[in-house]
Every structure is written in C-alpha cells, then in structure tokens.
C-alpha cells in the first residue's frame, strides 16, 4: 500500500506506508543492473548503489534491533559506524544484500508490531526516544538515500 493510498488513515499506518514505499524504492534502484553496475563508484566516497542498500540495511538494524530491541551492535554483529556500513565485501552481491535488507525489514516490522508510537525505547547509545521518533529518523534516512540512489542509477545507466 503506497503513501497516497492512506492520506486519512491513522498516523501509524501513514508512517508504515511511507517507510515501506522508500524501502521498495531503494531496492528497485538495483533492478536490472549487473553486479559491476551495482558496485560502480561514481563519487569519491564509498557510496555505490549496492553500498547504499547495505547501509540502509545496517541503519534499520541499528534503529529497530538496537534502539527498539535493546541488542547491542556488537551482539548483532554490526559494524560500528555508518561509514563502515557502506563498504562492500567480495562476497556481497545484489541478491545477498537484497536478501539481508528484506530480512532486516522483516525483523524491524516484528520489533515494533506490538508497540505504540509513544512507546519510549532505550536501546540507542545516545539515549531514549519515542518509537515515533525512530520511524521519522528511518524515514528521513531512507528518503535521503533514495535520492542518492536515483542519481547514481541515472549515472550508471547513462555510462
């Protein structure tokens, strides 16, 4: 269900629709690309289309599994910093990173299923916040990186 389908629905439904829409949009930027195209570096940073999906997978695990779920990054086997989360390993493929993203999304949905938006979650190292704040932060990150991915995909396909 897209965001335009829920303009009068409850806030939670609207937030979930926007988050799901951006999750899908980011995955779609890899659609039809070769492994080389997905890994192609077009900017000085480590940002690539595949790296963006790997980063948003990490980001969602941080906010939903660490912050909401209370499990540390170390226990989750996550790298410590956002910069590290963009780095691709030799074994990373479009299929494997997409599968990891989908698994992280499923875990995120499960972590918040029974929590109200006003629930205070305390697992993040910078302090407590409401679940509503977590949704907004994740939405901000997804939208930000979808913009990057759109531009990179355009460059990859033009080159």
């Amino acid at each position: 269900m897209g965001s335009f389908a829920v303009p009068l629905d409850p806030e939670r439904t609207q937030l979930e629709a926007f988050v799901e829409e951006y999750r899908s949009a980011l995955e779609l930027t890899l659609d039809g690309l070769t492994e080389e195209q997905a890994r192609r570096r077009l900017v000085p940073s480590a940002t690539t289309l595949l790296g963006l999906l790997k980063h948003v997978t990490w980001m969602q695990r941080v906010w939903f599994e660490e912050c909401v779920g209370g499990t540390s990054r170390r226990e989750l086997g996550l790298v410590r910093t956002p910069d590290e989360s963009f780095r691709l390993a030799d074994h990373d493929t479009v299929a494997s990173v997409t599968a990891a993203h989908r698994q992280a999304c499923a875990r995120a949905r499960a972590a918040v299923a029974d929590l109200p938006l006003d629930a205070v979650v305390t697992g993040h190292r910078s302090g407590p916040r409401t679940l509503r704040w977590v949704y907004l932060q994740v939405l901000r990150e997804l939208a930000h990186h979808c913009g990057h991915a759109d531009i990179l995909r355009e460059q990859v396909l033009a080159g």
Side-chain angles (χ1 to χ4, degrees):
M1 176 180 326
S3 60
F4 280 93
V6 296
L8 301 176
D9 285 43
E11 179 184 18
R12 177 69 170 260
T13 302
Q14 291 177 2
L15 287 170
E16 289 172 351
F18 273 93
V19 166
E20 292 298 335
E21 197 168 77
Y22 279 111
R23 284 171 171 161
S24 295
L26 196 53
E27 281 190 20
L28 283 173
T29 64
L30 295 170
D31 191 46
L33 298 184
T34 66
E35 295 295 331
E36 184 278 325
Q37 288 172 316
R39 290 173 161 273
R40 191 177 299 167
R41 288 180 68 171
L42 299 165
V43 294
S45 72
T47 305
T48 64
L49 283 166
L50 191 58
L52 280 168
L53 188 59
K54 188 171 182 177
H55 167 72
V56 300
T57 300
W58 174 87
M59 174 273 296
Q60 291 182 86
R61 294 193 68 199
V62 166
W63 288 113
F64 292 113
E65 294 178 52
E66 179 184 40
C67 182
V68 174
T71 306
S72 73
R73 290 177 199 189
R74 184 182 53 72
E75 291 174 282
L76 293 169
L78 297 176
V79 295
R80 295 177 42 149
T81 68
D83 286 346
E84 292 174 281
S85 70
F86 283 90
R87 293 188 192 132
L88 297 172
D90 289 342
H91 64 271
D92 288 328
T93 64
V94 172
S96 70
V97 174
T98 299
H101 180 251
R102 290 177 182 170
Q103 184 178 46
C105 293
R107 286 193 301 260
R109 289 182 205 103
V112 300
D114 297 326
L115 297 175
L117 290 176
D118 290 331
V120 175
V121 294
T122 60
H124 197 266
R125 56 187 170 192
S126 64
R129 61 213 61 233
T130 64
L131 180 60
R132 177 181 289 103
W133 187 96
V134 171
Y135 265 106
L136 291 170
Q137 171 63 18
V138 168
L139 180 58
R140 179 174 71 115
E141 287 250 2
L142 287 169
H144 181 78
H145 292 308
C146 275
H148 292 145
D150 286 342
I151 292 167
L152 289 176
R153 181 177 172 88
E154 185 177 327
Q155 290 178 315
V156 164
L157 293 176

